[in-house]
Amino acid sequence: MYVTEETDGKGLNSWISNSQIIHAVATTPLGPYQRRDVVSKPPTTNPQVLHDPTTGVFLLFHIRGAGSFQLF
């Protein structure tokens, strides 16, 4: 799974500048999940993984910085 993680321990008070996207894995959908690696460093949030049926590629979309859009 790909989720947003806060890097500074302050929680949602500083999410705009301190959110990053991490990759976590588990053997079942119910977990437990273990953090594997950082996919995109701050400031990134709202990961969405989509599958392109034409190419078979998985794409990760996210919000970077103060609302700019970027394909990763």
Side-chain angles (χ1 to χ4, degrees):
M1 107 173 122
Y2 295 92
V3 296
T4 300
E5 170 184 82
E6 305 309 314
T7 62
D8 65 358
K10 295 179 185 174
L12 294 177
N13 290 334
S14 59
W15 71 269
I16 290 175
S17 60
N18 294 305
S19 294
Q20 67 183 9
I21 298 170
I22 64 161
H23 178 215
V25 296
T27 56
T28 70
L30 296 177
Y33 284 84
Q34 294 190 353
R35 186 180 188 274
R36 176 158 292 167
D37 54 355
V38 175
V39 176
S40 185
K41 294 188 181 226
T44 54
T45 189
N46 293 8
Q48 298 292 316
V49 177
L50 300 173
H51 180 254
D52 180 351
T54 303
T55 64
V57 172
F58 287 90
L59 304 166
L60 175 65
F61 291 86
H62 61 82
I63 297 171
R64 181 165 189 86
S68 61
F69 177 80
Q70 181 181 33
L71 174 64
F72 180 78

